[in-house]
Amino acid sequence: MRVSMDIELKDTPGQLLCALTPISELRGNLKSIVHHHEERTPRGTIPVQLVFEAEPDNLDAIIDKLKKNGIGISRVDEKRLIEEGAVILIGHIVHTDIQDTIDSIDRTGYAEVVDISLSMPHINTTSSASLKICAVGIKELHEAISILKNVAKKKDLLVVEPIRAEFS
Amino acid sequence: MKIIRASIIGFGSVGQGVAQVLLQKKEEIQKKGFDLKVVAVADSRSAAIDEKGLDLEKVLKSKKENGRVGPETLSGLEVIRNVEHEVVIETTPTDIETGGVGLDNMLTAFEKGMDVVTSNKGPLALKYGELAETARKNNAKFRFEATVGGAMPAINLIRDTIAGNSIISIEGVLNGTCNYILTRMMEEHASYEQMLAESQELGIAETDPTYDVEGIDAACKLVILANYVFGMKATYHDVDVKGITSITPEALSLAQSEGYVIKQIGEVKDGCIQTSPRLVPESHPLAVGGTLNVVSVQTDLAGTVTSTGRGAGSIETASAILSDIISIYRED
């Protein structure tokens, strides 16, 4: 998951290292760091904004270590599902148990169907739907789409997925 | 000036296009340092032969007026066996079940040490390995730019223009008929059946459109690319194929509201060959409209290189054949 965090550093040497070491030790992947050295909080500390990716299970341990290192944490925002992709389904989508189709993604624990638009022009003609799927990472998004393709095959639905370039 | 003697085997739309282009480009060819003399033309039931060089205008006229290219009754294969020349321009119709007469024509030409330039996908989609090996053994040249996307540079782009690059993957729109139908369905919010009928009326789709709309034609082109570029030993039976017949206008509208168009995309990557309808961002280079073809090549040095052009048509296909001929014999 992607974590964005506002922290506060004392204006003494080595503070930034104290803030970043716990993240790297717990296999977090730093995405961006904005260090406002010329600014001061009312407490006289330097505000720093971090964005990193980390395993959800490791976040509490990262926060504990930061606190032990004397780093102030003023805000933590987690975004678990950071990758989004659209797919189109064509076929008898509703009558082949749409709930089960959606559940096949939601059950994974790493991806969810977050939006669905359905078009059913006439009774007895095929329906079309666009699904938006969110996942914890790009690999998981691919896996979710391939699960959907397997389910769709059994239900005789056509899955129209994005070209590869969309995912790189 | 060096004289290259050629035969045109197969005199349908592409063969006739080649004849027209050779007439029109006589001087251009001479500027490349050689003269091309067509000594034989054969269609499915007649032949015209003149070792001093045929008058192609006469041959075209004869074909138009009485359906025969000339007075002889030799088959294409007999022409290849019995008439002395250097290059066979093989433009017989594609047969993807057996390879058709094209397969025998090409193999026989190579065994005689003759070069082959072709637009015929069938033999390559079934027996590329055998053809390339026979050509190599006999020190003959084998060129087939016209088999993949007509006038759109693909094979020669990879062989010459970006030579030295490692190719990571190839994807593209390789069938103009599918592309036309999908483009028009989106524009008119019309059904597949309606737009198929329109494209049949315009001569863009065949009376039996199966070969195009079920993705078989694109699959053949992908196999040719896969075998040539990646050294795979694939036949078109190895391609995962899904056609466009079940695409609905509603699906196209839903895609559009997400910023996508739906295109029949072929792809060769990591040893897998597939063609299916895919979502392409509206502003992506692969989102070409109408009957256009496009191919996008991912390389290690040059990044992504994209080429687009007309994928069918007799003169467009003849353009690819002419460029193959020039690339073999040019001396400028």
Side-chain angles (χ1 to χ4, degrees):
Chain A
M1 75 179 163
R2 183 164 293 199
V3 181
S4 103
M5 193 181 264
D6 290 352
I7 58 172
E8 296 178 13
L9 305 181
K10 290 180 206 116
D11 192 7
T12 55
Q15 285 297 297
L16 191 58
L17 196 62
C18 288
L20 300 183
T21 312
I23 297 171
S24 71
E25 278 176 357
L26 285 154
R27 297 202 312 278
N29 181 16
L30 198 63
K31 288 288 173 190
S32 95
I33 172 163
V34 183
H35 190 205
H36 303 280
H37 199 82
E38 68 290 351
E39 286 179 29
R40 288 291 180 277
T41 66
R43 292 169 291 286
T45 54
I46 303 166
V48 174
Q49 288 160 348
L50 299 176
V51 177
F52 58 93
E53 278 171 13
E55 291 297 321
D57 294 345
N58 288 344
L59 184 60
D60 286 344
I62 290 172
I63 291 171
D64 282 349
K65 281 199 172 198
L66 287 171
K67 284 181 180 160
K68 266 185 206 148
N69 283 357
I71 308 292
I73 302 173
S74 50
R75 184 187 66 93
V76 180
D77 249 353
E78 321 162 12
K79 194 172 174 210
R80 210 173 70 83
L81 303 173
I82 54 175
E83 294 294 342
E84 188 183 280
V87 294
I88 302 281
L89 283 180
I90 301 170
H92 293 291
I93 299 163
V94 178
H95 294 148
T96 53
D97 196 350
I98 190 167
Q99 186 61 51
D100 170 74
T101 309
I102 296 169
D103 282 348
S104 70
I105 305 288
D106 290 355
R107 264 198 303 268
T108 60
Y110 54 72
E112 289 169 19
V113 176
V114 297
D115 191 25
I116 181 162
S117 307
L118 186 65
S119 178
M120 306 168 67
H122 309 285
I123 295 173
N124 295 331
T125 62
T126 52
S127 318
S128 309
S130 82
L131 267 64
K132 217 173 266 171
I133 300 172
C134 282
V136 296
I138 201 78
K139 200 176 108 246
E140 288 80 3
L141 183 58
H142 275 296
E143 269 165 36
I145 292 175
S146 85
I147 290 170
L148 182 65
K149 278 162 81 178
N150 278 332
V151 172
K153 202 172 179 184
K154 285 180 209 144
K155 298 183 176 183
D156 200 22
L157 306 175
L158 175 69
V159 179
V160 183
E161 59 177 315
I163 52 169
R164 217 176 273 266
E166 263 291 84
F167 291 131
S168 53
Chain B
M1 190 175 297
K2 174 169 79 172
I3 293 175
I4 301 298
R5 293 167 298 176
S7 66
I8 303 174
I9 309 297
F11 212 62
S13 138
V14 175
Q16 292 175 53
V18 170
Q20 282 167 19
V21 164
L22 291 179
L23 281 168
Q24 190 186 335
K25 295 288 178 178
K26 199 170 172 56
E27 280 174 28
E28 298 296 324
I29 296 169
Q30 284 170 348
K31 280 185 203 155
K32 303 292 175 194
F34 66 98
D35 208 353
L36 194 78
K37 198 162 79 176
V38 177
V39 294
V41 172
D43 65 6
S44 53
R45 48 194 192 134
S46 64
I49 298 162
D50 186 341
E51 279 163 23
K52 293 199 278 308
L54 287 163
D55 179 347
L56 288 175
E57 246 166 297
K58 251 194 198 158
V59 179
L60 283 164
K61 195 163 168 247
S62 161
K63 177 77 180 178
K64 202 174 169 190
E65 281 171 3
N66 55 41
R68 296 171 64 93
V69 295
E72 314 281 346
T73 51
L74 264 65
S75 69
L77 194 61
E78 287 166 326
V79 166
I80 294 167
R81 282 203 182 116
N82 299 313
V83 180
E84 278 286 302
H85 55 294
E86 283 76 39
V87 58
V88 175
I89 302 168
E90 219 291 336
T91 55
T92 60
T94 291
D95 175 339
I96 52 149
E97 298 303 326
T98 64
V101 291
L103 183 60
D104 283 339
N105 288 344
M106 292 182 204
L107 286 171
T108 306
F110 290 142
E111 278 155 12
K112 289 198 70 191
M114 297 151 96
D115 302 327
V116 172
V117 174
T118 187
S119 59
N120 183 349
K121 291 181 279 287
L124 283 88
L126 291 169
K127 306 262 171 149
Y128 175 76
E130 187 183 341
L131 286 163
E133 182 58 19
T134 312
R136 197 191 55 78
K137 263 194 212 149
N138 293 286
N139 213 13
K141 299 270 193 333
F142 186 23
R143 293 281 192 274
F144 41 87
E145 177 67 62
T147 59
V148 180
M152 170 191 74
I155 301 279
N156 297 342
L157 170 79
I158 293 168
R159 196 191 57 220
D160 301 326
T161 315
I162 54 170
N165 279 269
S166 298
I167 308 300
I168 301 155
S169 65
I170 300 173
E171 58 186 347
V173 172
L174 296 171
N175 184 276
T177 307
C178 284
N179 203 29
Y180 181 84
I181 294 172
L182 290 175
T183 305
R184 293 288 295 145
M185 281 174 71
M186 198 173 73
E187 284 170 356
E188 302 295 334
H189 199 74
S191 71
Y192 165 76
E193 288 76 15
Q194 274 173 296
M195 285 306 139
L196 172 64
E198 180 184 279
S199 51
Q200 282 170 327
E201 220 162 87
L202 293 170
I204 292 167
E206 309 271 341
T207 322
D208 175 6
T210 314
Y211 185 67
D212 289 317
V213 298
E214 296 293 353
I216 302 163
D217 172 67
C220 289
K221 293 167 181 168
L222 287 166
V223 162
I224 294 169
L225 284 168
N227 290 346
Y228 174 68
V229 178
F230 297 102
M232 289 171 67
K233 292 191 170 65
T235 73
Y236 98 97
H237 301 287
D238 299 316
V239 186
D240 186 3
V241 182
K242 280 196 195 79
I244 63 162
T245 53
S246 53
I247 299 293
T248 60
E250 295 77 30
L252 287 156
S253 299
L254 288 165
Q256 210 174 10
S257 59
E258 299 291 332
Y260 291 104
V261 292
I262 296 179
K263 295 282 163 196
Q264 177 73 8
I265 297 288
E267 180 180 56
V268 187
K269 188 176 187 183
D270 302 332
C272 292
I273 317 174
Q274 58 166 331
T275 176
S276 58
R278 301 281 284 270
L279 296 173
V280 179
E282 272 167 336
S283 57
H284 193 277
L286 290 182
V288 296
T291 57
L292 281 175
N293 282 25
V294 58
V295 68
S296 201
V297 185
Q298 280 78 46
T299 72
D300 60 343
L301 304 177
T304 301
V305 178
T306 303
S307 155
T308 181
R310 292 189 189 164
S314 71
I315 296 298
E316 290 83 349
T317 307
S319 155
I321 289 175
L322 178 66
S323 79
D324 273 346
I325 294 171
I326 291 174
S327 82
I328 299 177
Y329 304 109
R330 71 188 306 163
E331 290 199 341
D332 57 344

